[in-house]
Amino acid sequence: MNEFEARTDLSQLRDAVDQVKTEIGKVIVGQEEMIELLLAAILADGHALIEGVPGVAKTLTAKLIAKTVSVGFSRIQFTPDLMPSDVLGTQVFNQKSSEFQFKQGPIFSNIVLIDEINRSPAKTQAALFEVMEERQVTVDGTTYLMDAPFLVLATQNPIDQEGTYRLPEAQLDRFLFKIDVKYPNLDEEIQILTQAHSRTSHTAIEEVSPVLTVEQIAQYRQQVKALRVDASLIRYIAQITNNTRNSLSLSLGASPRASLAILNTAKAIAAIRGRDFVTPEDIKRVTIPVLRHRVMLTPEREMEGVIADDIIKQILDGIEVPR
């Protein structure tokens, strides 16, 4: 086989991605980075955390992504008084059978949108640990498996806003990406207002139609896993995460789970762009959203106003790119 001949036909995957972007584009203006990373999360079988100030379409985009997939969807609004049983489910006494039966909570779905995840305290956050990592829930000694695909899309407001709790590091590590959502630029905001003004007869979400099926997602995920990654790129990924552990600006470096996340999401980005092999640019593309929530700045750098993205960029700039 010719070395430069594509070994995996990604045309159907590319067409499906383009269709999803077209459907979401009926409603969302801009936000290309968020949409691409959410699609990569679906293909890489990982959860995504979306952070931004209220009103920048975090929840709407997550709902639209869910609507383009023909699977079950549920939405959970996190609040300070939310209990773990409100998320996972609880035992309910059945008077007819005189037995307790497990009533599933809203987490039992395929795509779960958790709105304002950092509005709830640590006890409720901890309820998500097992289900996000192992795709199962254990209640009263009984384990319940989640149906595939299972994906958590969570939104959060910036940590310094009133009424928010910082997520535990162990929970943050379970998110494949942390996506930072910015304000639209002037032209995009004008387009948002124009679309809203012309939309009179129905809500925005009704404009979006399903594109992907469960079977297609399973097929595309297998194709993504089969993508080629050169040994030099494997070493490149390992160098990046290893350098976070040795950085004097970071008190907490990235774990091997982060290395795997970079590898898997770089494959997804390559597939989205129609290639059956990973390039250094794919790795650079995903490194910051994969690492920004997994590393911790030293107090000194934090006081200087430095953010994690800055340090990750410095680490990337300090490593020779494989050719």
Side-chain angles (χ1 to χ4, degrees):
M1 180 182 290
N2 188 328
E3 182 67 27
F4 299 101
E5 182 181 338
R7 303 179 188 180
T8 305
D9 183 6
L10 298 170
S11 57
Q12 289 185 353
L13 187 153
R14 276 294 305 278
D15 289 344
V17 166
D18 289 342
Q19 288 179 49
V20 170
K21 289 181 176 179
T22 299
E23 290 297 316
I24 294 173
K26 294 177 181 177
V27 181
I28 299 296
V29 176
Q31 305 294 10
E32 288 87 0
E33 179 183 19
M34 172 166 53
I35 293 167
E36 183 177 59
L37 291 176
L38 287 175
L39 287 169
I42 292 174
L43 293 173
D45 191 15
H47 314 294
L49 179 64
I50 311 167
E51 181 176 287
V53 297
V56 289
K58 304 185 301 295
T59 300
L60 179 59
T61 304
K63 288 170 74 173
L64 294 174
I65 283 280
K67 195 170 182 195
T68 62
V69 185
S70 299
V71 293
F73 171 74
S74 67
R75 177 180 180 273
I76 311 172
Q77 177 67 52
F78 268 31
T79 57
D81 60 348
L82 195 74
M83 299 297 292
S85 58
D86 297 328
V87 176
L88 303 180
T90 187
Q91 297 285 359
V92 176
F93 185 72
N94 187 324
Q95 291 184 331
K96 290 184 179 179
S97 62
S98 298
E99 294 178 343
F100 282 95
Q101 293 181 339
F102 179 64
K103 182 181 179 182
Q104 294 182 348
I107 199 70
F108 284 86
S109 192
N110 297 111
I111 296 181
V112 181
L113 170 59
I114 299 179
D115 221 357
E116 297 187 301
I117 189 172
N118 58 337
R119 290 273 182 213
S120 287
K123 187 175 183 180
T124 305
Q125 307 291 353
L128 298 172
F129 281 19
E130 180 185 15
V131 68
M132 288 180 66
E133 179 64 21
E134 301 176 40
R135 269 67 170 181
Q136 66 181 35
V137 169
T138 303
V139 178
D140 292 340
T142 303
T143 298
Y144 305 90
L145 299 178
M146 312 302 290
D147 293 331
F150 175 71
L151 184 71
V152 171
L153 304 178
T155 70
Q156 74 170 8
N157 297 327
I159 295 299
D160 56 353
Q161 291 211 335
E162 187 176 351
T164 58
Y165 300 83
R166 187 177 293 274
L167 299 185
E169 286 78 10
Q171 185 177 353
L172 285 171
D173 200 34
R174 283 161 170 76
F175 284 103
L176 199 62
F177 288 129
K178 180 185 173 190
I179 305 169
D180 280 352
V181 185
K182 311 298 183 187
Y183 285 117
N185 61 38
L186 179 60
D187 290 337
E188 289 172 342
E189 191 141 9
I190 291 171
Q191 192 176 342
I192 290 169
L193 293 170
T194 304
Q195 284 187 2
H197 176 62
S198 61
R199 187 182 293 117
T200 56
S201 60
H202 52 266
T203 60
I205 200 166
E206 291 174 349
E207 297 184 15
V208 175
S209 303
V211 172
L212 293 169
T213 64
V214 172
E215 293 75 20
Q216 284 176 309
I217 290 175
Q219 174 192 340
Y220 297 154
R221 283 178 173 178
Q222 287 301 317
Q223 289 182 331
V224 168
K225 286 181 181 178
L227 262 59
R228 289 176 287 170
V229 185
D230 191 79
S232 63
L233 296 181
I234 298 283
R235 181 176 179 82
Y236 183 48
I237 294 170
Q239 282 183 308
I240 292 169
T241 51
N242 188 262
N243 283 13
T244 66
R245 300 165 201 163
N246 300 320
S247 172
L248 296 177
S249 299
L250 299 174
S251 60
L252 177 70
S255 68
R257 183 186 281 155
S259 300
L260 290 169
I262 294 173
L263 174 65
N264 293 331
T265 55
K267 288 182 182 181
I269 291 294
I272 286 171
R273 296 176 179 177
R275 284 183 277 99
D276 72 336
F277 58 92
V278 172
T279 67
E281 286 66 35
D282 298 324
I283 294 170
K284 285 185 172 183
R285 173 71 183 83
V286 300
T287 293
I288 290 177
V290 165
L291 293 185
R292 61 163 55 113
H293 58 296
R294 289 181 158 101
V295 298
M296 189 180 295
L297 292 167
T298 61
E300 297 78 21
R301 297 313 301 269
E302 207 164 355
M303 288 175 64
E304 293 170 5
V306 175
I307 61 173
D309 290 19
D310 300 328
I311 305 304
I312 298 167
K313 286 176 186 173
Q314 289 177 12
I315 289 172
L316 283 171
D317 291 342
I319 301 174
E320 184 178 353
V321 178
R323 295 299 176 196

